[in-house]
Amino acid sequence: RLPNSIRLAPISFALVALSSLVFLLFFQLRIMVLLQWFNFVPVEMTDIGVSLGRPGNDWWRYVTPTLLHFSWLHLVFNCLWLWEFGQRIEHRIGAVNMVGLYLVTAVVSNGVQYLWSGPSIFGGMSGVVYSFLGFLWAASLVRPGWLQAPPPAILGFMLIWLIVGLLGTLEFLGVGAIANGAHIGGLAIGFVLGLLFGVLTRFHRSA
């Protein structure tokens, strides 16, 4: 029998498990073809370096960058928040809606990051994490008690982290490149969807 928390949030758990599996194959075992397949734009490894293409008909690339992580810290940080926020949402909206929420927020956050940085190599669940944060935040505003709102300390920390990333401080400190576009796009679409779900469920309950 699976633990109760996993049975109640199978999609959130699957996203954590899949991200971890891809990380082990890509980062630890150096199966670089995953980068070529999963990056937002095609990546070609040549003798003189890396060549980047442009978005084409590979529809899966709008989602799959979320599965790429480039360090243990990157993976652990994203997966902890992915589970913390994701299971709270999935308990309420169910697995099917959770799949839709993930896909929509992944596409939007990845798309905004591409518009922000142009053809580049980027990845990680952080855009989805910020979308889940925005969803919880907005839904708890329009329908208090329906979802467990993020504690003020966590909400403040995540927003400060977003601002620090925008200021370039993290890159200056050597943390690495930050997908600021994905963070902003994810938070925005998550907030909008949180408002929508909160209002719709409120009306449904009234009816």
Side-chain angles (χ1 to χ4, degrees):
R1 292 174 60 86
L2 291 173
N4 192 51
S5 58
I6 296 176
R7 289 191 295 108
L8 291 174
I11 303 304
S12 300
F13 179 77
L15 292 175
V16 171
L18 188 56
S19 296
S20 302
L21 175 61
V22 172
F23 176 78
L24 292 175
L25 295 175
F26 163 62
F27 189 81
Q28 293 298 112
L29 300 180
R30 298 294 178 181
I31 302 178
M32 301 306 293
V33 70
L34 290 175
L35 177 63
Q36 297 173 285
W37 289 346
F38 287 2
N39 194 54
F40 193 85
V41 297
V43 178
E44 182 179 354
M45 308 291 184
T46 66
D47 294 335
I48 60 174
V50 176
S51 175
L52 298 174
R54 293 189 174 275
N57 297 323
D58 301 338
W59 53 267
W60 64 88
R61 293 184 185 275
Y62 292 95
V63 175
T64 52
T66 61
L67 301 176
L68 293 172
H69 292 84
F70 302 102
S71 71
W72 279 102
L73 180 62
H74 190 204
L75 174 73
V76 172
F77 185 86
N78 280 345
C79 285
L80 284 174
W81 292 120
L82 180 67
W83 175 251
E84 175 65 22
F85 299 150
Q87 53 91 17
R88 295 186 188 190
I89 297 172
E90 192 171 354
H91 287 176
R92 283 298 187 186
I93 70 174
V96 174
N97 286 328
M98 190 66 177
V99 171
L101 179 63
Y102 162 67
L103 292 176
V104 170
T105 57
V107 169
V108 171
S109 61
N110 288 330
V112 172
Q113 180 59 37
Y114 174 75
L115 295 175
W116 186 284
S117 64
S120 59
I121 294 174
F122 64 84
M125 280 284 182
S126 54
V128 174
V129 166
Y130 269 98
S131 74
F132 288 178
L133 175 69
F135 189 98
L136 288 169
W137 185 12
S140 65
L141 291 176
V142 298
R143 190 178 171 188
W146 180 61
L147 280 173
Q148 185 179 358
I154 292 179
L155 178 60
F157 168 78
M158 296 296 288
L159 294 179
I160 291 172
W161 185 266
L162 175 64
I163 294 171
V164 169
L166 287 171
L167 293 175
T169 307
L170 297 175
E171 293 184 48
F172 176 77
L173 295 175
V175 175
I178 305 298
N180 293 308
H183 295 174
I184 293 174
L187 183 63
I189 186 62
F191 196 89
V192 170
L193 291 175
L195 290 176
L196 180 62
F197 267 77
V199 169
L200 289 177
T201 56
R202 191 171 185 174
F203 280 131
H204 182 266
R205 183 182 181 185
S206 300

